[in-house]
Amino acid sequence: MPLPATLRARVSPEAITKVTRIFNGTLGDIFNELFQNARRAGATTVAVTAEHLEDACIVTVTDDGAGIADPADLVSLGQSDWSEACRAREDPAGMGFFSLAGLDTLVRSVSAHASFALAIAGDAWTGEADIAVLPWDGPRGTSIAFHVPPQRDGKLERCLESAARHFPLPVTFNGEELKRVDFLAGAHRIVEREGYRLGVYRNRTSSAADTVNFHGVTLRHVLPQVKEIHHAQWSVHVDVVDARDLVLVLPARKEIYHNAALTRLKTLCREAIYQTILAEPFHRLSHASWLEANLFCDAFPEAIAQLPAWTPSLARDSYRDLPGFTAIAADAALYDDTDALDSVTFARALQFSRNGRHGEMHHFDAATPLIFYTPINQFIGYSWYDRLNCYVRTGERFCEADGTDTPLGSDPGTLRPETITLELSDQFGGGLDLPTDLALLEGDGSWTDVDTVRIALTQRSRLDPGDLTDYIIDAVFSPSDDSDADSYDTQETRFRYEAAARAHAMLEDDDAATLAVIRMVFADRIAWRIPAGRTLRLSWSMSRKELVLLPEADVPTSDTTAPGAIAG
């Protein structure tokens, strides 16, 4: 068979036989489509009634619009008799009426050109039966009645209320007007541009809400958002007013067709967001977002010169909230810690610099004082931020009184030098030395193990075993969230015992370490069982085990002060 030289796309007549499967035919879709037709016909109001019968529910939708000029257009899939003005404004598809496909439907319409009634049986939708065109004498407009299964669970009312909520015309149900809500209610600012109302929202919490209102048909589409650094998050919703080129994917109309109009809409959304941010007293946009903002707004200022005060990050923290942002001081600097060991060591150095004097945690008190802030990498590029010295720890020195390096002892994990100095460097090639009395360093094994962390503590440090225990926990304890792991509290308690043993052994001796752990275990698990006013006397060894409860007054003083006693 010879092939034709050219072809033209066409719609097969057999397509009409599948029309009942093209549309979902849900109540929500039906109301949305009929409401849109009423709006395009110039209606000023829509009235809906429902008559609940034993075996069916008869729903009638009536509008006072221009009516239908040609009944043939109504039942021709993809064809419509909308005016040229309506076609230019919205590009209607001529498919909405077929949301009723398969349902027994009665149409009555009066226009300037025709008055008629159509009774469409279920099988007539597929072209298998003729549809009689009957005379009709009634008011201008269109009335469409259709049969659906019984609706006694409130579903019909819910679908109708949803369709009417953001519809631009008033809708009544059985004589009572349904509530309508501005789709952009609660917006921080509303911008009207190119046939859209753009509502810009600040910190809108719901991520599951519909974002576009297409003349009452609402749908969810991902629109631009802009997030400031630890500040506001801006989003936008769109209320379509008159935008011909923005069209929905047929036949379901559940998503926006990707074309140049949608690209332009997203550009308008970004512009509206940045204009809204520009009107705010200040902003904390990332430098990248600020560059984009300058494409939409002239002379967009830099982010406000504020940063959170530096605070140590602890090993146990999987996430931590930054403290509030404050204006940076004239002697501001940044410290970029690498891990909890570094962070806790630096925090101790800042405290050591104050020598017991009161002061903020992030203040370095020296001949040239500094106030440290937390780095925010997204601010890199701002002139005020790039001027700040950003320090990192590059090393440490352990020295004896004569200035020589402290030699390693028999225990490489423990060092007791005369002085400790942390060495810092900045991005400009400068350096800074911080004297301190404590340095916690990663050992050869896992840094989450008390026994492998390296601890350097000066000979004259004022830290007691309790203080050192807390520093070790802050720098090293990281609970496991494995399904086989013990609870957080159990893991933390066990780690505290190990840290206390290490601290007491380092500052006192092995016997003190053993007694410290016994004391902690006793206080946690046993002491609460001793009755009020009684004293437990315990004597325990491999050969002797004695537990006696005595009246508190009967315990000799020597029993609680003897060498090796477990004092409370």
Side-chain angles (χ1 to χ4, degrees):
M1 181 181 70
L3 297 177
T6 61
L7 292 174
R8 226 174 238 202
R10 64 189 180 91
V11 177
S12 169
E14 295 178 358
I16 194 66
T17 65
K18 302 178 177 64
V19 71
T20 56
R21 286 179 280 157
I22 295 176
F23 297 90
N24 288 329
T26 65
L27 278 172
D29 290 339
I30 292 171
F31 285 132
N32 281 330
E33 294 293 351
L34 297 186
F35 286 5
Q36 294 306 309
N37 285 345
R39 178 184 59 80
R40 294 190 188 105
T44 61
T45 185
V46 176
V48 181
T49 61
E51 183 181 357
H52 295 279
L53 305 178
E54 185 66 28
D55 58 347
C57 179
I58 302 175
V59 182
T60 304
V61 179
T62 304
D63 68 68
D64 60 353
I68 302 167
D70 187 346
D73 290 334
L74 187 64
V75 292
S76 300
L77 182 63
Q79 184 173 324
S80 64
D81 67 346
W82 297 114
S83 66
E84 288 300 323
C86 178
R87 293 173 188 271
R89 187 174 65 251
E90 295 189 32
D91 188 26
M95 293 186 178
F97 182 65
F98 280 82
S99 61
L100 293 163
L103 301 179
D104 292 339
T105 305
L106 174 63
V107 181
R108 291 168 291 196
S109 181
V110 175
S111 70
H113 306 283
S115 300
F116 62 88
L118 302 178
I120 308 173
D123 57 356
W125 288 98
T126 59
E128 299 173 16
D130 291 336
I131 302 171
V133 181
L134 305 173
W136 172 252
D137 183 16
R140 174 71 68 91
T142 300
S143 174
I144 299 175
F146 54 93
H147 289 214
V148 293
Q151 304 287 317
R152 297 186 180 88
D153 58 356
K155 179 181 179 181
L156 184 145
E157 287 77 6
R158 290 193 298 272
C159 290
L160 181 56
E161 289 169 358
S162 177
R165 183 171 296 118
H166 304 300
F167 187 59
L169 304 180
V171 178
T172 62
F173 178 56
N174 290 339
E176 294 188 9
E177 185 169 343
L178 297 176
K179 181 180 180 181
R180 289 186 295 152
V181 178
D182 184 355
F183 185 69
L184 304 182
H188 186 78
R189 183 170 181 252
I190 295 177
V191 178
E192 297 187 13
R193 291 287 307 278
E194 300 182 17
Y196 303 105
R197 294 173 68 235
L198 308 173
V200 181
Y201 292 83
R202 176 181 180 136
N203 297 331
R204 192 179 184 103
T205 55
S206 175
S207 59
D210 288 344
T211 56
V212 179
N213 178 35
F214 197 88
H215 308 292
V217 178
T218 63
L219 50 96
R220 193 169 306 155
H221 188 87
V222 178
L223 296 174
Q225 295 185 0
V226 175
K227 182 173 176 56
E228 298 183 60
I229 307 303
H230 297 284
H231 191 42
Q233 176 164 319
W234 301 93
S235 58
V236 64
H237 287 189
V238 176
D239 191 17
V240 178
V241 178
D242 187 5
R244 174 192 184 279
D245 295 328
L246 189 78
V247 293
L248 304 184
V249 177
L250 299 172
R253 302 182 197 262
K254 302 296 185 183
E255 57 183 312
I256 302 175
Y257 178 67
H258 287 262
N259 59 8
L262 179 58
T263 301
R264 176 58 180 165
L265 173 59
K266 291 184 176 182
T267 298
L268 292 175
C269 289
R270 289 193 176 278
E271 183 178 15
I273 290 175
Y274 285 124
Q275 287 177 346
T276 300
I277 296 174
L278 181 61
E280 294 292 294
F282 66 90
H283 74 84
R284 291 199 190 112
L285 290 173
S286 68
H287 185 258
S289 294
W290 176 75
L291 291 176
E292 183 180 61
N294 277 277
L295 299 176
F296 298 100
C297 306
D298 294 332
F300 206 99
E302 291 192 348
I304 190 170
Q306 293 182 346
L307 288 170
W310 182 88
T311 54
S313 56
L314 310 183
R316 69 176 70 95
D317 295 337
S318 58
Y319 173 82
R320 66 186 181 112
D321 290 326
L322 289 174
F325 281 59
T326 58
I328 59 173
D331 47 0
L334 306 173
Y335 186 68
D336 194 1
D337 51 76
T338 56
D339 56 31
L341 291 167
D342 177 15
S343 185
V344 172
T345 298
F346 182 70
R348 175 57 190 172
L350 296 183
Q351 184 179 15
F352 185 80
S353 73
R354 297 190 292 274
N355 194 26
R357 295 184 295 273
H358 292 292
E360 297 289 339
M361 177 187 295
H362 59 299
H363 286 209
F364 173 58
D365 193 355
T368 305
L370 290 172
I371 300 178
F372 285 96
Y373 296 87
T374 298
I376 302 292
N377 290 336
Q378 296 95 324
F379 286 165
I380 295 174
Y382 286 127
S383 58
W384 62 267
Y385 186 85
D386 291 347
R387 287 193 295 266
L388 298 175
N389 298 78
C390 184
Y391 289 100
V392 295
R393 183 166 140 203
T394 54
E396 49 279 322
R397 297 195 306 271
F398 308 115
C399 298
E400 298 299 285
D402 59 3
T404 60
D405 292 342
T406 299
L408 293 177
S410 58
D411 179 8
T414 300
L415 203 62
R416 299 301 305 271
E418 186 69 24
T419 63
I420 299 175
T421 304
L422 304 183
E423 298 173 334
L424 312 183
S425 298
D426 65 23
Q427 76 274 35
F428 303 118
L432 180 66
D433 289 343
L434 269 68
T436 187
D437 62 345
L438 173 67
L440 300 169
L441 310 169
E442 185 174 351
D444 295 332
S446 170
W447 69 275
T448 60
D449 189 337
V450 172
D451 293 330
T452 59
V453 66
R454 295 169 57 207
I455 303 176
L457 187 68
T458 60
Q459 294 286 350
R460 301 183 183 183
S461 174
R462 297 178 182 176
L463 292 179
D464 62 29
D467 296 330
L468 183 55
T469 298
D470 289 338
Y471 278 118
I472 294 173
I473 293 172
D474 289 344
V476 183
F477 173 61
S478 179
S480 171
D481 58 1
D482 188 271
S483 59
D484 295 331
D486 289 326
S487 69
Y488 176 95
D489 290 340
T490 299
Q491 293 182 65
E492 196 274 342
T493 298
R494 185 184 302 121
F495 191 94
R496 181 172 290 275
Y497 295 162
E498 296 171 357
R502 181 90 189 266
H504 281 271
M506 186 171 181
L507 290 172
E508 297 172 340
D509 54 35
D510 290 341
D511 284 351
T514 301
L515 288 173
V517 174
I518 293 175
R519 183 184 300 111
M520 295 170 70
V521 173
F522 188 91
D524 288 343
R525 302 183 181 181
I526 300 173
W528 64 275
R529 289 188 174 273
I530 301 174
R534 307 292 294 277
T535 297
L536 174 68
R537 186 172 68 187
L538 182 151
S539 178
W540 201 275
S541 67
M542 297 300 294
S543 59
R544 180 187 177 194
K545 301 174 179 62
E546 181 184 1
L547 291 170
V548 180
L549 275 176
L550 299 172
E552 202 164 36
D554 294 348
V555 179
T557 304
S558 58
D559 282 8
T560 58
T561 58
I566 303 177

